[in-house]
Amino acid sequence: DYKDGKVNKRTTFLYDENGNKIKETEYDASDKVVKVSEYKYKGNLKVEKDVYDAKGVLKSKKTYQYETY
């Protein structure tokens, strides 16, 4: 992100061999980690998202369920 012509935040992404996003890291303007999101999959279906703060403390956990018909 940009504000007043300067970068105020950046995000990096890590993907597994299937192209699924497994990690997203947000950094502030001074390049310090602000938040890390980790994703887990079963096959190619996302089943969990964990969000950690800059100190590595778990802030939220979301699980995904899918129904088959």
Side-chain angles (χ1 to χ4, degrees):
D1 286 347
Y2 294 92
K3 184 176 182 181
D4 299 326
K6 296 180 183 176
V7 175
N8 63 356
K9 153 175 122 166
R10 73 179 180 93
T11 306
T12 60
F13 304 93
L14 182 63
Y15 297 88
D16 67 14
E17 63 277 356
N18 296 316
N20 297 311
K21 180 170 56 174
I22 57 173
K23 190 172 188 179
E24 179 178 326
T25 307
E26 291 183 25
Y27 300 87
D28 65 14
S30 60
D31 217 29
K32 294 187 182 194
V33 173
V34 175
K35 177 172 76 169
V36 176
S37 300
E38 294 181 349
Y39 303 85
K40 295 178 183 162
Y41 295 84
K42 191 172 195 176
N44 281 329
L45 296 175
K46 181 174 17 178
V47 293
E48 190 174 297
K49 176 184 178 183
D50 298 334
V51 180
Y52 300 89
D53 68 10
K55 295 180 181 179
V57 176
L58 181 66
K59 300 310 269 182
S60 69
K61 178 183 281 279
K62 183 173 187 177
T63 56
Y64 301 84
Q65 294 182 349
Y66 303 90
E67 293 188 27
T68 56
Y69 296 95

